[in-house]
Amino acid sequence: MLNLDFHPSGRHFLQIPGPSPVPDRILRAMSLPTIDHRGPEFGALGLTLLDKIKKVFKTENPVIIYPASGTGAWEAALSNALSPGDRVLMFETGHFATLWQKMALRLGLEPEFIGLPGYDGWRQGVQADMIETRLREDHDQRIKAVCVVHNETSTGVTSDIAAVRRAIDAASHPALLLVDTISGLACADYRHDEWGVDVTISGSQKGLMLPPGISFNALSDKAIEASRHSTMPKSFWAWDEILEANQNGYWPYTPSTNLLYGLNEALDMLLEEGLDHVLARHERWAAGVRRAVEAWGLEIQCQDPAVYSPVLTGVVVPEGVDADEVRKLIYERFDLSLGTGLGKAKGKMFRIGHLGDCNDLTLIATLGGCEAGMELAGVPLAGSGVTAALDYFAHHPLHDYR
Ligand SMILES: *Cc1c(COP(=O)(O)O)cnc(C)c1O
C-alpha cells in the first residue's frame, strides 16, 4: 500500500550494526566484470588479498576466506578445530554468543555455557576470572576450546580478549582460543597473534564495509595442528584444501569473485587511512553517541564503561515502551534503520550502529531520527541528545583520539 508520509528520496540511513553502508568506492570496484577464477589475473588478485587481509587481523598466519556469511565461518572454526564430543567452554555475552553455543550443540560438541546470572551477562563483557576458575577445575583437561565473542553485536559490549588469553595461560590449560570478531574487525582494536588467538572468525558486512557474503578464519599453528586430528565431518569448510589452493592465490571451488574485488578495495581504503586512524574514528563516534544517550536520560545497554563498544551502542528504552514500536515509527517516518533488540533484549532496547562508512553528520542525522521518533512515540527524554553529540563532535577533534 502506498504510504504518502514516506519519502524515500536521498539515501536510506542504514544504521544497524551490520550490514553497514557500503562506500561508493567499494561498489564501483565490485561492478567490474567477473573474471575466470582459474586464470592468471585471479591468482594475482588472490595472492594480494590473502596477504593484505593479514594486516587487518594483525597476524602473520594464514587467513581463510569463505564464500559464506559469518555463520559459515563459525561452523568452519568449530568443525576444523574440534571433534564430536569435545567439550568447549563458551561465555554468554548476548544473542550471538548464544547462537554460537546452539551451533556447537548441533555439531555434536559438548558446550559448557557459563556467564553472569540472569540478564547481567547481557550488560557486561566476558569475565576472564570465571574462565580461569573453570579451567583450573578441569584437571583431566577435557575442555578443548574456549569460545568467546569479542564484539557482542546484540548488546554493544567489546570484551577484553587479552584478559581471556591470560586466564587460559594462568590456568596452564592447553585449550584452543576461538574468538568471534565478526562485527569487531576494522572497528575495534584486534590482535590475532599478540593475543594468542587460535581461530579468529570474522565477516564482511560489518566493519569491513562490504556487502554480506564472505567470511574469515584467521588461524594459528596450533589450530592447524588441531585440524589434522579433527574427526568432525567437513568438506566445504575444510582448511587443508583451501590452504593448499591459496598457496597460488586460488580456491578449491568458485570464490565470490566480485566480493573479493570489493574486499581488495576495502583493504586498500583501511590500510591507506591507517588502522589506528580507523579505530580512533570509531572510538570518537561511540563517545559522541553515548553523550546523546546520556542527554536523553536513557541507559546504555553496556553497564561497564571499560567494555563500551566502538561499533554500536545499545539504547535501553524505559519500562513499558516497546523499543521495536519506536524503531518502526523511526523507519517509517525518517527512512532510518536501527538494530532491533535480539533474544533476551527484545523490545527492551534498540541498537545504533556507528561502524564503517559513517561521518559526524550521518550520526547526527541518525540521532536526530532517534530523538524525533522517541518524542513522537511518547518516550520521555531529559534533553537533546542531538545537541549533546554535536557539541561533543565539535569540541573533540579526531586528533585528540590518536
Ligand atoms: C553478524 C554476526 C554474526 C552472524 O554473522 P552472519 O553474517 O549474519 O552469519 C555472528 N556473530 C556476531 C558477533 C555478529 O555480529
Side-chain angles (χ1 to χ4, degrees):
M1 202 173 69
L2 191 63
N3 178 354
L4 294 175
D5 284 331
F6 188 55
H7 309 284
S9 53
R11 290 232 176 171
H12 175 72
F13 283 86
L14 183 66
Q15 298 299 145
I16 57 174
S20 66
V22 181
D24 294 352
R25 192 172 147 184
I26 293 179
L27 290 172
R28 278 195 296 274
M30 292 195 327
S31 73
L32 292 176
T34 303
I35 54 172
D36 173 8
H37 64 289
R38 310 260 183 225
E41 208 186 333
F42 189 93
L45 170 71
L47 287 176
T48 308
L49 277 176
L50 291 165
D51 183 50
K52 274 194 277 194
I53 189 73
K54 293 181 183 182
K55 297 193 172 77
V56 179
F57 284 90
K58 298 212 171 110
T59 183
E60 302 287 327
N61 292 300
V63 178
I64 297 217
I65 308 175
Y66 290 105
S69 87
T71 304
W74 261 351
E75 180 157 344
L78 297 177
S79 63
N80 278 280
L82 299 162
S83 298
D86 278 356
R87 180 160 294 184
V88 292
L89 186 62
M90 305 181 103
F91 200 94
E92 183 176 355
T93 43
H95 187 65
F96 288 101
T98 306
L99 290 179
W100 201 14
Q101 181 256 354
K102 283 189 182 146
M103 172 185 277
L105 276 174
R106 292 182 75 126
L107 290 175
L109 297 167
E110 280 182 33
E112 220 180 285
F113 204 30
I114 62 170
L116 293 170
Y119 190 54
D120 282 356
W122 286 52
R123 302 195 70 175
Q124 306 278 338
V126 171
Q127 308 292 303
D129 57 332
M130 288 173 68
I131 291 179
E132 182 178 335
T133 303
R134 181 62 194 97
L135 291 178
R136 281 185 191 279
E137 289 164 5
D138 184 37
H139 300 296
D140 50 358
Q141 300 182 338
R142 285 208 51 211
I143 295 170
K144 298 301 176 202
V146 173
C147 301
V148 291
V149 175
H150 173 228
N151 187 71
E152 177 53 78
T153 323
S154 62
T155 61
V157 171
T158 307
S159 289
D160 183 348
I161 301 304
V164 177
R165 175 77 264 166
R166 286 194 299 273
I168 299 171
D169 292 347
S172 305
H173 199 288
L176 295 165
L177 174 56
L178 273 51
V179 180
D180 166 349
T181 191
I182 293 180
S183 61
L185 196 73
C187 294
D189 187 22
Y190 194 81
R191 307 169 191 204
H192 178 84
D193 286 1
E194 190 184 316
W195 294 344
V197 181
D198 293 299
V199 188
T200 298
I201 297 112
S202 196
S204 56
Q205 75 273 28
K206 318 238 169 132
L208 286 176
M209 307 176 289
L210 294 163
I214 50 176
S215 54
F216 309 90
N217 276 181
L219 312 182
S220 72
D221 287 341
K222 194 173 156 187
I224 295 172
E225 183 53 33
S227 73
R228 298 205 173 98
H229 309 287
S230 153
T231 59
M232 182 93 70
K234 63 198 154 279
S235 169
F236 181 80
W237 305 118
W239 290 339
D240 56 355
E241 288 182 0
I242 302 173
L243 287 174
E244 200 184 310
N246 278 180
Q247 296 278 329
N248 301 312
Y250 297 99
W251 271 260
Y253 38 71
T254 315
S256 309
T257 309
N258 291 54
L259 279 169
L260 295 180
Y261 295 161
L263 176 63
N264 195 37
E265 202 65 26
L267 293 172
D268 284 348
M269 287 171 73
L270 291 168
L271 299 172
E272 279 163 17
E273 181 181 347
L275 278 180
D276 288 347
H277 194 272
V278 174
L279 303 183
R281 226 175 353 95
H282 286 88
E283 287 293 348
R284 179 173 167 277
W285 287 334
V289 169
R290 288 195 300 270
R291 290 305 188 287
V293 181
E294 283 158 17
W296 288 328
L298 298 177
E299 273 182 42
I300 292 166
Q301 176 75 13
C302 176
Q303 287 181 317
D304 177 3
V307 291
Y308 279 149
S309 172
V311 181
L312 74 142
T313 300
V315 182
V316 180
V317 298
E319 200 101 22
V321 174
D322 179 352
D324 284 335
E325 287 295 318
V326 181
R327 273 191 335 108
K328 181 166 175 277
L329 190 152
I330 293 170
Y331 175 81
E332 287 171 354
R333 290 294 298 274
F334 304 112
D335 203 15
L336 161 64
S337 291
L338 298 164
T340 183
L342 295 165
K344 290 181 186 173
K346 183 154 186 59
K348 295 182 182 172
M349 52 93 97
F350 63 85
R351 297 170 297 143
I352 302 175
H354 31 81
L355 66 165
D357 195 40
C358 300
N359 59 39
D360 290 5
L361 294 185
T362 55
L363 290 176
I364 290 298
T366 299
L367 295 169
C370 294
E371 188 163 309
M374 285 193 287
E375 274 169 1
L376 288 170
V379 178
L381 299 178
S384 171
V386 175
T387 308
L390 191 55
D391 185 63
Y392 186 84
F393 289 145
H395 297 108
H396 294 80
L398 186 59
H399 59 73
D400 288 357
Y401 276 82
R402 306 284 318 264

